[in-house]
Amino acid sequence: MNDLDGFFKPRSVAVIGASREPQKIGHVVLKNFVDNFHGPVYAVNPNADRILGLKAYMNVLSIPHEVDLAVVAVKAELVPQVLRECGDKHARNAIIISGGFAEVGRKDLEEEVAKLARAYSIRVIGPNCLGVFDASSQVDTLFLPRYRLQRPREGGISFVSQSGAVGSAVLDWAASEGFGVSKFISYGNAIDVNETELLDYLHRDQKTRVICVYLEGVKNGRKFMETARKVTRTKPIIVIKGGRTEAGGEAVRSHTGALAGSDAVYDAAFRQSGCLRANDVTEMFDFARVLSEQPLPRGNRVQVITNGGGFGVLATDALAENGLGLARMRGDSTLRLKKQLPEHAVVGNPLDLVGDADSERYALALETAIADPNVDAILCIVLFQTTNVQSEIVDVISEFNDRRAKPIVACSAGGSYSKLHTTNLEKLGIPVYDSPHRAAKALWALNRYAQLKGRL
Amino acid sequence: MNDLDGFFKPRSVAVIGASREPQKIGHVVLKNFVDNFHGPVYAVNPNADRILGLKAYMNVLSIPHEVDLAVVAVKAELVPQVLRECGDKHARNAIIISGGFAEVGRKDLEEEVAKLARAYSIRVIGPNCLGVFDASSQVDTLFLPRYRLQRPREGGISFVSQSGAVGSAVLDWAASEGFGVSKFISYGNAIDVNETELLDYLHRDQKTRVICVYLEGVKNGRKFMETARKVTRTKPIIVIKGGRTEAGGEAVRSHTGALAGSDAVYDAAFRQSGCLRANDVTEMFDFARVLSEQPLPRGNRVQVITNGGGFGVLATDALAENGLGLARMRGDSTLRLKKQLPEHAVVGNPLDLVGDADSERYALALETAIADPNVDAILCIVLFQTTNVQSEIVDVISEFNDRRAKPIVACSAGGSYSKLHTTNLEKLGIPVYDSPHRAAKALWALNRYAQLKGRL
């Protein structure tokens, strides 16, 4: 019934409104497909012969092959005609990037397009949107050039955004931080496909492990919450709701025209349906990374491992402030650590391997913490400024992480030398946070989802 | 009476325990001075002839020139003898990097060193510390090589840290983010110079505009608070107190051995003495950047300017959640904006210049907001993913910032293209935050300090 696969894995794509001018939307989008998409790509532009090495067709009907997905980047007034032609061509799906509809008062034009889509049974994302980015198939209708908006590597986080600007900035940031993304959808005015249907689709999508949503309002709140309740039984949903405050609600009205609604009502609904709320786009990804990569903990007892005492103290504070417990390792574990670690190490929680710690000490600490039944999760702080921490520490942490016995998150702060290693850790599936606070909050989210899942 | 200048602007420096081996502390420290310090530098090592091109002296007494600052990096047991020689040489100041004193149970050795320092009237920072980094004089006793720990550019933020690890990680991070620092001091076991005296010194230091402090405990709380109360009349102090929670307090005891004390008592004391508290090292710098660069606002009414509606919504929420007000521009301002901006721009607060905004629109918006008496501060969101935002936007914002009429903070999220521009904005004195939440919290801190200053 609900099959949006045609938007994410189309057999063929036509870019309608393809352009020769590098600054134009129709150029950037065509170039994305030409450079990265594996299936056939067709350019439609009645005023050109060739664009980016492709023959340019008069209209979609003149393409002598099947067109599965139409990406529409023409003036709003031309969209109805384009849609009729797509219908006649039996295209199943259209992403209408073009703006100039309800958001500028042309509700009439928007309704005409919606009617046509229904009449021709074309599923539509948009209009007035960025559309879709799929890291696997490389469907990429983001009309911002890659030198300005980097595309993220493939991973388990999918992101549905009511705001194109929030979506593009966050995607660009995620790419530069090395975070992995599966699918991104900016759905704009949502004349057909909306946030709820996308939730349902991502629920069934095997590549998606965590769903992030930026919302300003929901058209059918009950349906959204019902779907969310179903989804969160198997996959976490992290929501940012724009317009939490009265002032924010006013801003929402003049932005997407949505009714922000009472935040208390939303909050209760999100809680009941098992959604995690994030305050901020960075926090949303902080939660998403740990939830997409790490196993769920069985309890809330965290063991802190560190090579810097001060960071250990800050982590302890942050864990306590987030309602997490400090693990107390068993007698045999502490005995073993005391025997094998140098005298100036501090065996406890935090377990302070001190400033001259090397990879061997980290290996011993991780192994002991993973084996100890009193430990539910590990917060591993590595300060790469110290001379004995060599690059192989990345392999050490990754090896223990690959056992997937207990959740591990890392914390590391610093400049380029440090970032080189933390990016590698991220790529190997270990979420890294630049402050103990962020790391503790992420562990809170992981723990909270484990609780929610147990309850639902 | 209190003159610590000799630590930060010494006429000459001797590195005692200089080493030829690149991994050794005594090598890294000597190299820092040889490469960057402008005054005479002497190496002391009885077992070498030359180190890094310098003649190596048998001891400090055999140097045939004045020694102003001695940097001591020898084994703990040798420190008393070295200090005696420094005394005979009439060195005024010593930074004792060496560990192996009270922190490993050698209270006796620590007291012997303290006594000698008093007897010879040598001022001492340390032992068991990273010592000093001064971005202007390039005194740099941080024994971690620059490829691992980048040094920040010169700026108005000074940072006093009880923890060497917190200090070094934060300094490295600040450097890579392009934040400007004046002085950094890791004071270790503090047998002589302590946090309070450093506050007092930085208060009088013209290059320091904001003082950051990482503390786990204070030896003389009353004196610290009295000094803080005096300092905050003219310079903001931002404090992170490790050991806020009971668990954190325990961690403090096994780290620096300090008594973390009741957090409620600390909290009240910080409030009464006008210190701002930060939760986290990133938050500390978020506050410090805006306080060191921007003028204080006259009220709490913030105007949001944006080229992305969703970020405008999130900023509005974040401002409201931090108790800040949304500015309502005067009729003539909105009239002017409506006349000169395209129809699809949203004139209000947020002022949404929309996705095709260029530098001209930003210039108009900034000029209007600065001229409008109903606006106290500006939160300027720039998403660099959009095609019309050209690099000159940096000049535009900087030009208005240079008028120093009202505080301006910027918000921008993204990857390398975005970061290129935000680093430039930072260098020009405009603090940039990667989320609306961080930007709003920074404006909260600016506003809070303005209130505190008015009250004190």
Side-chain angles (χ1 to χ4, degrees):
Chain A
M1 228 184 87
N2 166 348
D3 194 353
L4 305 180
D5 263 354
F7 289 108
F8 301 97
K9 300 173 216 165
R11 289 187 300 271
S12 59
V13 176
V15 177
I16 303 167
S19 169
R20 277 172 302 196
E21 292 168 52
Q23 296 282 329
K24 288 269 176 83
I25 289 175
H27 184 91
V28 177
V29 173
L30 182 66
K31 191 165 159 53
N32 291 342
F33 282 101
V34 168
D35 288 352
N36 305 292
F37 183 67
H38 288 297
V41 180
Y42 310 107
V44 175
N45 179 337
N47 305 314
D49 286 336
R50 299 191 75 79
I51 306 174
L52 287 168
L54 296 183
K55 173 177 165 53
Y57 293 96
M58 180 66 83
N59 55 41
V60 75
L61 287 167
S62 55
I63 299 170
H65 308 280
E66 183 212 47
V67 169
D68 196 8
L69 170 66
V71 181
V72 182
V74 300
K75 275 188 198 149
E77 291 70 29
L78 302 175
V79 171
Q81 179 55 26
V82 162
L83 215 58
R84 269 182 220 107
E85 291 165 1
C86 287
D88 291 337
K89 184 69 186 167
H90 303 295
R92 288 187 303 150
N93 302 283
I95 297 172
I96 306 177
I97 295 172
S98 323
F101 296 88
E103 82 279 7
V104 295
R106 294 296 310 272
K107 189 95 190 135
D108 58 318
L109 197 59
E110 188 161 302
E111 274 169 11
E112 187 187 350
V113 172
K115 258 185 220 163
L116 284 167
R118 280 194 297 274
Y120 284 103
S121 297
I122 302 175
R123 301 303 316 267
V124 172
I125 288 179
N128 184 34
C129 69
L130 283 178
V132 167
F133 169 76
D134 185 312
S136 168
S137 71
Q138 289 290 321
V139 166
D140 180 356
T141 69
L142 311 186
F143 51 80
L144 301 162
R146 289 190 175 214
Y147 78 89
R148 281 180 184 266
L149 195 168
Q150 297 168 247
R151 269 54 163 185
R153 69 177 175 86
E154 212 179 327
I157 303 170
S158 286
F159 179 23
V160 177
S161 180
Q162 188 165 5
S163 160
V166 168
S168 59
V170 169
L171 219 57
D172 182 23
W173 167 74
S176 81
E177 298 287 325
F179 306 154
V181 165
S182 173
K183 292 169 179 61
F184 165 77
I185 309 101
S186 145
Y187 55 89
N189 298 2
I191 59 166
D192 176 18
V193 176
N194 62 28
E195 61 281 351
T196 303
E197 200 177 354
L198 287 165
L199 270 194
D200 192 44
Y201 176 74
L202 294 171
H203 184 207
R204 287 175 292 112
D205 174 44
Q206 293 205 336
K207 301 210 169 183
T208 298
R209 289 193 297 270
V210 176
I211 303 166
C212 294
V213 187
Y214 174 80
L215 283 179
E216 296 190 351
V218 179
K219 276 178 190 170
N220 186 335
R222 184 178 298 271
K223 191 121 191 268
F224 180 86
M225 296 306 169
E226 273 172 21
T227 306
R229 200 178 164 81
K230 189 182 68 185
V231 175
T232 53
R233 280 192 199 122
T234 48
K235 285 183 191 181
I237 300 177
I238 304 158
V239 182
I240 301 183
K241 169 67 179 56
R244 297 182 71 140
T245 60
E246 211 187 301
E250 274 180 51
V252 161
R253 267 193 291 287
S254 48
H255 179 221
T256 44
L259 215 65
S262 150
D263 195 62
V265 171
Y266 269 104
D267 204 58
F270 287 138
R271 213 165 341 102
Q272 280 160 27
S273 57
C275 295
L276 295 167
R277 258 187 116 156
N279 272 320
D280 208 338
V281 287
T282 44
E283 191 171 272
M284 178 175 75
F285 263 76
D286 282 356
F287 293 177
R289 287 187 282 145
V290 72
L291 282 158
S292 74
E293 303 283 9
Q294 292 296 317
L296 293 176
R298 284 165 192 230
N300 77 345
R301 299 163 305 171
V302 181
Q303 176 65 45
V304 179
I305 298 169
T306 185
N307 64 341
F311 266 75
V313 168
L314 290 173
T316 308
D317 277 340
L319 290 169
E321 282 163 356
N322 281 292
L324 297 166
L326 278 201
R328 295 278 166 228
M329 283 201 269
R330 294 201 321 197
D332 53 339
S333 302
T334 54
L335 209 65
R336 183 184 171 204
L337 289 167
K338 278 184 181 158
K339 217 185 249 171
Q340 295 188 42
L341 288 172
E343 215 186 337
H344 57 299
V346 185
V347 175
N349 199 356
L351 169 56
D352 189 353
L353 306 175
V354 293
D356 60 347
D358 55 12
S359 311
E360 257 178 65
R361 273 189 224 168
Y362 272 96
L364 175 68
L366 285 165
E367 190 164 27
T368 310
I370 284 175
D372 192 308
N374 290 354
V375 174
D376 298 313
I378 296 165
L379 199 176
C380 185
I381 300 165
V382 187
L383 301 176
F384 283 95
Q385 290 81 23
T386 58
T387 322
N388 287 356
V389 171
Q390 302 298 347
S391 299
E392 66 189 21
I393 190 113
V394 171
D395 300 320
V396 169
I397 299 176
S398 168
E399 193 201 313
F400 287 103
N401 184 59
D402 286 346
R403 301 189 191 172
R404 302 191 66 71
K406 289 174 186 178
I408 302 177
V409 304
C411 172
S412 188
S416 49
Y417 184 80
S418 181
K419 276 174 189 156
L420 169 74
H421 295 95
T422 56
T423 307
N424 288 337
L425 283 169
E426 279 287 343
K427 283 185 188 155
L428 290 162
I430 301 117
V432 189
Y433 302 93
D434 70 358
S435 79
H437 236 80
R438 286 175 77 173
K441 197 78 202 279
L443 283 172
W444 168 85
L446 195 67
N447 206 60
R448 174 97 182 120
Y449 180 65
Q451 288 174 346
L452 286 167
K453 209 175 160 180
R455 204 179 298 158
L456 284 168
Chain B
M1 229 185 83
N2 165 349
D3 194 353
L4 305 180
D5 263 353
F7 290 108
F8 301 96
K9 300 173 217 166
R11 289 187 300 271
S12 59
V13 176
V15 177
I16 303 167
S19 168
R20 277 171 303 195
E21 293 168 51
Q23 298 282 329
K24 288 270 177 83
I25 290 176
H27 184 92
V28 178
V29 172
L30 182 65
K31 190 165 160 53
N32 291 341
F33 282 101
V34 168
D35 289 351
N36 305 293
F37 183 68
H38 288 299
V41 179
Y42 310 107
V44 174
N45 178 337
N47 304 314
D49 284 337
R50 301 191 74 80
I51 308 174
L52 286 168
L54 297 183
K55 172 177 168 50
Y57 293 96
M58 180 67 82
N59 55 41
V60 74
L61 287 168
S62 55
I63 299 171
H65 307 279
E66 182 212 48
V67 169
D68 196 7
L69 170 66
V71 180
V72 182
V74 299
K75 274 188 198 147
E77 291 70 29
L78 301 176
V79 172
Q81 178 56 25
V82 163
L83 215 60
R84 268 182 220 107
E85 290 165 1
C86 287
D88 291 337
K89 183 69 186 169
H90 303 295
R92 288 187 305 152
N93 302 284
I95 297 173
I96 305 175
I97 295 172
S98 324
F101 296 88
E103 82 280 6
V104 295
R106 294 298 308 273
K107 190 93 189 137
D108 58 318
L109 198 58
E110 189 162 301
E111 274 169 11
E112 186 186 350
V113 172
K115 257 186 219 161
L116 283 168
R118 282 195 296 274
Y120 283 104
S121 297
I122 302 176
R123 300 305 315 268
V124 172
I125 288 179
N128 184 33
C129 69
L130 283 179
V132 166
F133 170 75
D134 185 312
S136 168
S137 71
Q138 290 289 322
V139 166
D140 180 355
T141 68
L142 311 186
F143 51 80
L144 301 162
R146 290 192 174 212
Y147 79 90
R148 283 181 183 263
L149 194 168
Q150 297 169 245
R151 269 54 163 184
R153 68 177 176 87
E154 212 179 328
I157 303 170
S158 285
F159 179 22
V160 177
S161 182
Q162 188 165 5
S163 159
V166 168
S168 59
V170 169
L171 219 58
D172 183 22
W173 167 75
S176 81
E177 297 286 325
F179 305 154
V181 165
S182 173
K183 293 170 179 62
F184 165 77
I185 309 101
S186 146
Y187 56 88
N189 298 2
I191 59 166
D192 175 17
V193 175
N194 62 27
E195 61 281 352
T196 303
E197 197 176 358
L198 287 165
L199 271 194
D200 191 45
Y201 177 74
L202 293 171
H203 184 209
R204 288 175 290 113
D205 174 44
Q206 293 206 336
K207 301 209 171 186
T208 298
R209 290 193 296 270
V210 176
I211 303 166
C212 293
V213 187
Y214 173 80
L215 282 180
E216 297 190 350
V218 180
K219 276 178 190 170
N220 186 337
R222 183 179 297 271
K223 190 120 192 267
F224 181 86
M225 296 307 169
E226 273 173 19
T227 306
R229 200 178 163 81
K230 186 182 70 185
V231 175
T232 54
R233 283 195 196 119
T234 48
K235 286 183 189 180
I237 299 176
I238 304 159
V239 182
I240 301 182
K241 169 66 179 58
R244 296 181 71 140
T245 61
E246 212 186 302
E250 273 179 53
V252 161
R253 267 192 292 285
S254 47
H255 179 221
T256 44
L259 215 64
S262 151
D263 196 61
V265 171
Y266 268 105
D267 205 57
F270 287 139
R271 213 166 340 103
Q272 281 160 25
S273 57
C275 295
L276 294 167
R277 256 187 117 155
N279 272 320
D280 209 336
V281 286
T282 45
E283 190 171 274
M284 177 175 76
F285 263 76
D286 282 357
F287 293 178
R289 287 187 282 144
V290 71
L291 282 159
S292 73
E293 302 283 10
Q294 293 295 319
L296 293 177
R298 286 169 191 226
N300 77 346
R301 299 164 305 171
V302 181
Q303 176 65 46
V304 179
I305 298 169
T306 184
N307 64 340
F311 265 75
V313 168
L314 290 174
T316 308
D317 277 340
L319 289 169
E321 282 163 356
N322 282 292
L324 296 166
L326 278 200
R328 296 280 166 221
M329 282 202 268
R330 293 202 322 195
D332 54 339
S333 301
T334 55
L335 210 66
R336 184 184 171 205
L337 289 168
K338 277 184 181 159
K339 217 185 248 171
Q340 296 188 39
L341 287 172
E343 217 185 335
H344 57 298
V346 185
V347 175
N349 197 358
L351 169 55
D352 188 354
L353 306 174
V354 291
D356 60 347
D358 55 11
S359 312
E360 257 177 64
R361 273 188 225 167
Y362 272 97
L364 175 68
L366 285 165
E367 190 164 26
T368 310
I370 284 175
D372 193 307
N374 290 354
V375 174
D376 297 315
I378 296 166
L379 198 177
C380 186
I381 299 166
V382 188
L383 302 176
F384 283 95
Q385 290 80 24
T386 59
T387 322
N388 287 355
V389 170
Q390 303 298 349
S391 298
E392 65 190 20
I393 190 112
V394 172
D395 300 320
V396 169
I397 299 175
S398 168
E399 192 200 313
F400 287 103
N401 184 60
D402 286 346
R403 300 188 191 171
R404 301 192 66 71
K406 289 173 185 177
I408 302 176
V409 303
C411 172
S412 189
S416 49
Y417 184 79
S418 180
K419 277 175 189 156
L420 170 74
H421 295 96
T422 55
T423 307
N424 288 336
L425 282 169
E426 279 287 342
K427 282 186 188 154
L428 291 162
I430 300 118
V432 190
Y433 302 93
D434 69 359
S435 80
H437 236 81
R438 285 176 77 173
K441 197 78 203 279
L443 282 172
W444 168 85
L446 194 67
N447 207 60
R448 175 97 183 119
Y449 181 64
Q451 287 174 347
L452 286 167
K453 207 175 161 179
R455 203 179 299 158
L456 286 167

